[in-house]
Amino acid sequence: MTADTARVPARDGRSAAQAFRGALLDFIGDPAELGDAACRYYADGLLVVREGHVEQAGPAQQMLAQLPGDVAVIDYRDHLLVPGFVDTHIHYAQTDMIACYGEQLLPWLERYTFPTERRFADPEHAREVADFFVRELLRNGTTTAMVFATVHRQSVDAIFAAAAKRNLCLIAGKVMMDRHCPEDLRDTPAESYEVSTALIERWHGHGRLRYAVTPRFAPTSSEEQLRLVGRLLEQHAGVHLQSHVAENRDEVRWVAELFPWSRSYLDVYDHFGLLRPRAVYAHCIHLDQKDRRRMIDSGAAASFCATSNLFLGSGLFDLQSAQEGGMRVGIGTDVGGGTSFSMLRTLDECYKVAQMAGQRLSPLRAFYLATLGGARSLYLDDTIGNFEAGKYADFVVLDPQATPLLARRMAHMQRLADRLFLLLTLGDDRAVAATYVAGRAVHARAGSGARDSAHRGQNCLQMP
């Protein structure tokens, strides 16, 4: 069986509804604002799914008494069910250059990124990498991602096709860059505008797919191209934008040389109307107070990419300043600058970045940022991000005893926050027992199958 084939009993044809029993955790708000009231936790919970959407979530004992007899219960009572992880910044075309040694951002682009992305001129290569990439997302519990492709149209077609096969919520777009890059990766403002328009018309709103207008970063786009980026956003209501800003100090200095009229790096994007809702900017490390205020006022979001920021030596994201101002923040693995597809491994690095900055990231807020916080950053929290009725039933089944060390440590933990902290510090893809998209199992770890049982007369085995 392939890695993304379900290993739990299929319910199609037997009932339009199924239920999942286990510990349930989701969020209705930001713990930084609401404290513990932001979190909903049921040690013995029931998640009822009908036709791919959440019908109800709550305490199992209460809900089981009212559950129709033909609804199968999938038994995950020794696991924790959380909404699917949301990755707000990742490069699928960089899958094959993850963990490349020894460079900071700008030389890293020249030495590794551009040669790797050149290969996506081959449609077959693009299809093979896209399929692997999507399976790797699911293996790590990520059910929504905002994804960079390359300048090649076929790279966008490939990643959208791979996501559509699995009914994934995925946002992607063609990279636009018309200068300061290799000739065979360079487009023109007119070409990038025309191809992006055609891709929007083909893919945006197709199933759960959404398009992101994608200028790589300000240095690789001329002013004319950035003007056309703004035009695309105005002409196609509801599309997203993704780019990079203020990742590396050398990059910031370069932008100041290229755009001497700008107040700051972020001001370049603002000048062309690119700060707005549904815009996500990766990194946002070297921003000043005016920049942060403008991000907040515009409704744009920051993607906190701790793993790649550490790996490339770029700097430390100021989570506290973003939090205090009310900035929308999501988590990005930023593969291939980031060194793991795992949101758990990435949250571990986010915690460490906060520590190095003399700040704190609580376990509850970490899981919020990886779920509802990410959905809010993408303006998709009306359809994903928690277990509210009517939302897509995208969720992850986490195994708190996935490794001997996790099991040993969990045996001594009583508080929910402590258990979550162990998962994000000691967990990785092995802790993902299963991943569900719209109520369908699309990945299950070998040997981690759930029990399919009648729903009456069960004893509650709570998460240890």
Side-chain angles (χ1 to χ4, degrees):
M1 300 178 76
T2 61
D4 58 334
T5 300
R7 295 181 178 87
V8 296
R11 293 294 116 207
D12 296 343
R14 173 173 164 181
S15 173
Q18 53 187 334
F20 301 86
R21 189 175 185 181
L24 301 185
L25 171 70
D26 74 341
F27 297 87
I28 58 172
D30 188 341
E33 300 171 1
L34 302 179
D36 291 346
C39 163
R40 296 185 296 197
Y41 176 66
Y42 303 100
D44 181 24
L46 198 70
L47 176 67
V48 181
V49 175
R50 187 178 298 276
E51 297 180 351
H53 293 78
V54 174
E55 182 172 84
Q56 190 178 3
Q61 294 292 347
Q62 175 182 323
M63 293 174 58
L64 285 170
Q66 304 168 4
L67 199 66
D70 66 338
V71 176
V73 176
I74 309 302
D75 191 345
Y76 281 120
R77 282 178 292 169
D78 51 353
H79 294 72
L80 174 66
L81 279 61
V82 299
F85 295 135
V86 179
D87 191 335
T88 58
H89 182 71
I90 187 169
H91 297 252
Y92 101 85
Q94 295 178 16
T95 299
D96 289 338
M97 53 171 283
I98 194 169
C100 285
Y101 172 77
E103 303 289 354
Q104 292 204 350
L105 175 64
L106 298 180
W108 182 81
L109 288 171
E110 294 288 344
R111 182 173 181 181
Y112 300 120
T113 302
F114 292 147
T116 299
E117 293 190 1
R118 185 176 287 123
R119 299 182 64 194
F120 285 78
D122 176 5
E124 184 54 40
H125 177 73
R127 283 192 292 271
E128 190 276 327
V129 175
D131 191 66
F132 177 88
F133 171 87
V134 168
R135 286 187 282 116
E136 197 68 8
L137 287 181
L138 296 171
R139 196 169 66 82
N140 285 279
T142 297
T143 58
T144 296
M146 192 175 214
V147 180
F148 267 63
T150 69
V151 297
H152 310 97
R153 176 175 184 157
Q154 55 268 31
S155 73
V156 181
D157 289 334
I159 190 60
F160 275 139
K165 283 195 301 185
R166 298 162 177 89
N167 197 25
L168 231 60
C169 178
L170 187 131
I171 308 167
K174 167 194 149 43
V175 169
M176 304 168 71
M177 54 181 183
D178 67 337
R179 64 175 183 170
H180 300 135
C181 62
E183 184 67 33
D184 56 352
L185 291 177
R186 190 174 303 170
D187 57 18
T188 67
E191 178 190 3
S192 63
Y193 172 81
E194 292 166 4
V195 174
S196 296
T197 298
L199 289 166
I200 290 168
E201 292 171 352
R202 178 173 185 184
W203 291 111
H204 185 68
H206 175 82
R208 302 183 67 189
L209 307 177
R210 303 181 68 86
Y211 195 85
V213 182
T214 308
R216 176 171 230 116
F217 66 155
T220 52
S221 286
S222 65
E223 294 191 18
E224 175 60 21
Q225 186 167 71
L226 292 173
R227 275 192 286 271
L228 291 176
V229 170
R231 183 183 299 177
L232 285 168
L233 295 172
E234 292 297 328
Q235 291 176 335
H236 302 279
V239 299
H240 300 254
L241 177 136
Q242 60 180 343
S243 194
H244 305 81
V245 70
E247 178 178 1
N248 171 282
R249 292 193 184 278
D250 288 340
E251 169 206 19
V252 172
R253 284 190 286 268
W254 190 22
V255 170
E257 295 170 1
L258 294 172
F259 301 92
W261 48 261
S262 65
R263 191 198 71 80
S264 68
Y265 190 162
L266 188 74
D267 185 53
V268 175
Y269 296 118
D270 200 12
H271 178 81
F272 294 102
L274 309 187
L275 290 184
R276 56 174 64 210
R278 290 184 297 279
V280 175
Y281 287 92
H283 310 303
C284 299
I285 297 172
H286 306 291
L287 300 182
D288 61 22
Q289 187 174 353
K290 288 184 178 179
D291 287 333
R292 292 191 186 93
R293 184 73 258 163
R294 185 67 191 112
M295 284 279 291
I296 293 162
D297 292 343
S298 70
S303 183
F304 180 9
C305 304
T307 309
S308 69
N309 296 157
L310 294 173
F311 184 73
L312 295 176
S314 299
L316 307 177
F317 179 73
D318 190 342
L319 182 61
Q320 183 171 314
S321 292
Q323 170 188 316
E324 290 172 351
M327 187 187 298
R328 292 175 185 254
V329 177
I331 304 297
T333 60
D334 196 21
V335 168
T339 52
S340 177
F341 282 78
S342 170
M343 191 61 70
L344 297 175
R345 302 299 332 117
T346 304
L347 292 177
D348 180 38
E349 299 302 302
C350 291
Y351 170 80
K352 294 171 186 175
V353 164
Q355 284 281 80
M356 292 178 69
Q359 301 174 11
R360 289 290 184 269
L361 175 60
S362 74
L364 284 174
R365 188 156 199 257
F367 273 81
Y368 160 79
L369 291 173
T371 56
L372 184 60
R376 286 178 167 177
S377 295
L378 301 177
Y379 287 79
L380 294 177
D381 50 303
D382 58 334
T383 60
I384 63 169
N386 61 17
F387 294 141
E388 291 286 340
K391 294 190 179 184
Y392 280 100
D394 297 346
F395 62 95
V396 186
V397 181
L398 296 176
D399 181 359
Q401 301 185 75
T403 68
L405 181 58
L406 262 175
R408 184 179 181 89
R409 291 288 287 117
M410 283 289 178
H412 302 286
M413 295 295 105
Q414 300 300 320
R415 296 191 316 126
L416 173 63
D418 293 334
R419 298 169 187 165
L420 294 177
F421 190 61
L422 285 181
L423 281 169
L424 73 85
T425 52
L426 300 179
D428 52 29
D429 58 288
R430 293 170 294 177
V432 177
T435 305
Y436 285 78
V437 170
R440 185 174 70 91
V442 290
H443 164 76
R445 195 189 67 220
S448 65
R451 297 182 296 277
D452 182 32
S453 62
H455 65 256
R456 304 191 189 281
Q458 296 287 337
N459 293 319
C460 174
L461 176 62
Q462 296 185 6
M463 189 174 83

